[in-house]
C-alpha cells in the first residue's frame, strides 16, 4: 500500500510495529527526530523547510500519543475504526489463544511452591483470566482480590501474561537471576532493599500492573522475613 | 543458438550509479567485481560511463586496445570481441569508449544494440559502471539492470544528486509503462519541481493520473513498489555518516514511497587514495583495510539479498 506522509498513522510515522514497547517507541522517536531535524542533510532537496516542520510536528504528536499508555489506548481505539489495518488483528488473535492454555497451567505450577495462604488468592485469579488479554496496552491496577503479593503470586501473574522470565529480563534489563530471586523470595540472591524496590516497580510494569500495591506488599513480606520479630 | 543458451543462464546485471561525479562509483564497481571474482563467480565489468571511462584504471589496466567504442562503431560485430581478460581469474572487462567524440551520446539504435548484446553475454554477474549525471542513457542502463545500486557521500551535494537521480529514474520508468500521450506529458510536467499543477511528490502525480485514468494510476503504484534501488554510502567518517543511509531510507519511504535498501557503507581511509595513486585495486593492495572489509560486507549483503539493519548500529 502506498501511503502519503499525511495519511500515515503514528506507528507508520515512527516506523515501529503496533506491538512496540515504550522503549522501542522512545528509541524510534529519537531516531526519526534526528532524521527530520532542520539541519539533517539526508533530507536535503527533498522536503521544503515548511514540510519538514510539519513532519516534525506530527512526529512529536505521535511520540506524545504513543508513549503515554492512556493516550495510546485511546489512539489505538480510533485506529481500529479504520478498516485497512492488517497488522493489528493478528496480535489480537494471539492474545485470545494464550489464556486458553494458561488457566490449566497456573494451578499446577503454583501449587508446589505456594504456602498455605495462597489458594485464597488464586481462585479469583483463575476466573479473571479469560476475560483479560495477557498484555494490556496500559498498566492495570493490581487485582483487588489478591491481598498478598508473594513471589509465587507474582510468578503466576507473569505466567498469565504469557511472559517468560527471559522476556521480562529483556524488558526490564534485569538479570534473570534477580527475577528468579524475586519470584522464589530467595532474598540471598537479591541485592539491598532499595534496589529490590526498584526491581519490583520495573517487574510490575512489565507484567502490566500498577506497581504501588505490589511493591509495598512485597516489601512488607521482605521486611518480615529479614527482620523476624524478636521474642 | 549459443547466444540463446547463454541468455537463458541465470545471470544478474547490477548497475552502479549515483548522479554525482567523483563519489567512487568506479572504485566500488571495480572492487565489488574483484571480490565477487574471488568468490569464484564469473564476473564481467562493463564501463558504461560513455565519454568518461576509467574503470580500467581502478583495476590497474592501461588504456585497452579494444573498447566499447569499437563495438558501438561496428568496427567489431560481436561484443565478445571487446572483452578483455584481466590478471584476476574469473574477472573480465569491457572497457569504456575512449576515442570518439560521439561516444558519450550513442544514438537510440546503438544503445538498444548494446543492451541487447549485454543480455547475451556469458557471466554470472555483469556489473555496469554508470557515469555521472541523469542523462537518458544512464537512466536506461540503471533501469535495465536487475539491481540498481546508488552511491552517495555524506554530503549535501551528493545526496541532492542521488535524490534527483532516483526521481529521474523513477519518472522515466513511469513514462515507459504508460502509453497515453497526455499522461506522458503530465509526467514530464511533474518533473519540473515548480510546476503549476501543484504536483510536488510522486504521490501527487499518481493521484492526478488516477483521476485521469484509474487503471494507469494503479499500474504506476505497482511500479513504485517494484522499484527498489540499493544504497551505498561511501567515505564514511563517523557513526552519524553511517546513520545517513538509514535516514535516506526513511526519507525515500516517506517522500517517494519507494523502498530504498541500505546495502552498506565504505569507510574513509587513506589507503583508498593511495591504492588509486599506485593504480592497484584496493582489495588487492590493502585486503585487510577497513574499506576493503566494508566492500566485502556489501558483496555479502548483495549475494544474500540482505540489507543493513538498525541493530548493527547500536
Amino acid at each position: 500500500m502506498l501511503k502519503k506522509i499525511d495519511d500515515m498513522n503514528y506507528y507508520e510515522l515512527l516506523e515501529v510495529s503496533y506491538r512496540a514497547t515504550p522503549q522501542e517507541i522512545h528509541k524510534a522517536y529519537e531516531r526519526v527526530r534526528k532524521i527530520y531535524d532542520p539541519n539533517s542533510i539526508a533530507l536535503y532537496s527533498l522536503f521544503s523547510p515548511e514540510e519538514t516542520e510539519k513532519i516534525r510536528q506530527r512526529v512529536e504528536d505521535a511520540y506524545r500519543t504513543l508513549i503515554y499508555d492512556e493516550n495510546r489506548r485511546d489512539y489505538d481505539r480510533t485506529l481500529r475504526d479504520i478498516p485497512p489495518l492488517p497488522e493489528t488483528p493478528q496480535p489480537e488473535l494471539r492474545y485470545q489463544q494464550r489464556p486458553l492454555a494458561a488457566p490449566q497451567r497456573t494451578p499446577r505450577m503454583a501449587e508446589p511452591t505456594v504456602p498455605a495462604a495462597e489458594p485464597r488468592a488464586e481462585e479469583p485469579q483463575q476466573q479473571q483470566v479469560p476475560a483479560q488479554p495477557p498484555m494490556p496496552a496500559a498498566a492495570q491496577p493490581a487485582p483487588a482480590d489478591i491481598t498478598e503479593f508473594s513471589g509465587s503470586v507474582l510468578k503466576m501473574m507473569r505466567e498469565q501474561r504469557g511472559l517468560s522470565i527471559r522476556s521480562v529480563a529483556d524488558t526490564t534489563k534485569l538479570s534473570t537471576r534477580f527475577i528468579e530471586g524475586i519470584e522464589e523470595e530467595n532474598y540471598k540472591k537479591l541485592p539491598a532493599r532499595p534496589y529490590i524496590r526498584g526491581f519490583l516497580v520495573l517487574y510490575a510494569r512489565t507484567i502490566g500492573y500498577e506497581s504501588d500495591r505490589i511493591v509495598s506488599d512485597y516489601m512488607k513480606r521482605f521486611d518480615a522475613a529479614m527482620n523476624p520479630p524478636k521474642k | 543458438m549459443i547466444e540463446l543458451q547463454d541468455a537463458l543462464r541465470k545471470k544478474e546485471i547490477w548497475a552502479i550509479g549515483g548522479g554525482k561525479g567523483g563519489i567512487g562509483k568506479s572504485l566500488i564497481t571495480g572492487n565489488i567485481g574483484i571480490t565477487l571474482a574471488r568468490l569464484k563467480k564469473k564476473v564481467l565489468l562493463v564501463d558504461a560511463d560513455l565519454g568518461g571511462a576509467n574503470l580500467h584504471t581502478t583495476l590497474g589496466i592501461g588504456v585497452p586496445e579494444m573498447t566499447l567504442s569499437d563495438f558501438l562503431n561496428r568496427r567489431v560485430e560481436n561484443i565478445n570481441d571487446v572483452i578483455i581478460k584481466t590478471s584476476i581469474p574469473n574477472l573480465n572487462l569491457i572497457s569504456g569508449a575512449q576515442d570518439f567524440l560521439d561516444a558519450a551520446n550513442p544514438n537510440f539504435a546503438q544503445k538498444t544494440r548494446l543492451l541487447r548484446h549485454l543480455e547475451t553475454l556469458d557471466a554470472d554477474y555483469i556489473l555496469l559502471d554508470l557515469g555521472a549525471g541523469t542523462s537518458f542513457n544512464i537512466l536506461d542502463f540503471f533501469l535495465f539492470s536487475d539491481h540498481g545500486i546508488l552511491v552517495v557521500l555524506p554530503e549535501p551535494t551528493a545526496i541532492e544528486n542521488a535524490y534527483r537521480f532516483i526521481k529521474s529514474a523513477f519518472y522515466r520508468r513511469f513514462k515507459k509503462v504508460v502509453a497515453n500521450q497526455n499522461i506522458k506529458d503530465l509526467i514530464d510536467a511533474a518533473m519540473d519541481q515548480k510546476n503549476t499543477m501543484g504536483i510536488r511528490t510522486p504521490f501527487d502525480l499518481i493521484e492526478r493520473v488516477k483521476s485521469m485514468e484509474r487503471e494507469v494510476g494503479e499500474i504506476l503504484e505497482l511500479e513504485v513498489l517494484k522499484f527498489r534501488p540499493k544504497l551505498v554510502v561511501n567515505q564514511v567518517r563517523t557513526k552519524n555518516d553511517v546513520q545517513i543511509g538509514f535516514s535516506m531510507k526513511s526519507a525515500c519511504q516517506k517522500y517517494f514511497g519507494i523502498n530504498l535498501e541500505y546495502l552498506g557503507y565504505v569507510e574513509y581511509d587513506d589507503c583508498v587514495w593511495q591504492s588509486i595513486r599506485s593504480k592497484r585495486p584496493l582489495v588487492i593492495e590493502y585486503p585487510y583495510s577497513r574499506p576493503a572489509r566494508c566492500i566485502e560486507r556489501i558483496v555479502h549483503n548483495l549475494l544474500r539479498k540482505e540489507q543493513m539493519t538498525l541493530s548493527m548500529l547500536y
Side-chain angles (χ1 to χ4, degrees), chain A residues 61-74:
Chain A
D61 291 346
Y63 177 68
R64 270 169 230 293
T65 307
L66 297 187
I67 202 69
Y68 298 114
D69 291 336
E70 223 167 277
N71 298 353
R72 184 173 175 183
R73 229 179 316 152
D74 291 342

Side-chain angles (χ1 to χ4, degrees), chain B residues 50-165:
Chain B
L50 307 169
N54 50 18
L55 185 58
H56 54 275
T57 313
T58 64
L59 294 173
I61 300 170
V63 179
E65 276 179 26
M66 282 295 201
T67 66
L68 210 51
S69 51
D70 295 306
F71 173 74
L72 288 174
N73 268 355
R74 291 186 174 265
R75 273 200 289 271
V76 293
E77 268 311 307
N78 192 333
I79 196 164
N80 282 300
D81 296 340
V82 295
I83 295 179
I84 312 161
K85 280 205 159 41
T86 66
S87 54
I88 299 148
N90 291 323
L91 187 73
N92 293 329
L93 170 75
I94 295 183
S95 178
Q98 292 279 336
D99 40 6
F100 72 115
L101 197 59
D102 282 344
N105 310 299
N107 61 35
F108 184 76
Q110 285 173 321
K111 189 175 67 191
T112 39
R113 177 163 165 257
L114 177 58
L115 290 180
R116 205 176 57 237
H117 277 78
L118 280 180
E119 277 185 323
T120 65
L121 283 169
D122 171 39
D124 295 329
Y125 295 94
I126 298 181
L127 271 58
L128 303 178
D129 177 26
L130 304 183
T134 55
S135 70
F136 286 165
N137 290 323
I138 291 167
L139 296 179
D140 284 344
F141 282 126
F142 192 78
L143 294 174
F144 166 79
S145 62
D146 299 309
H147 298 291
I149 300 167
L150 285 168
V151 182
V152 295
L153 303 185
E155 290 164 8
T157 42
I159 290 172
E160 182 180 17
N161 284 8
Y163 285 140
R164 194 172 301 151
F165 190 90

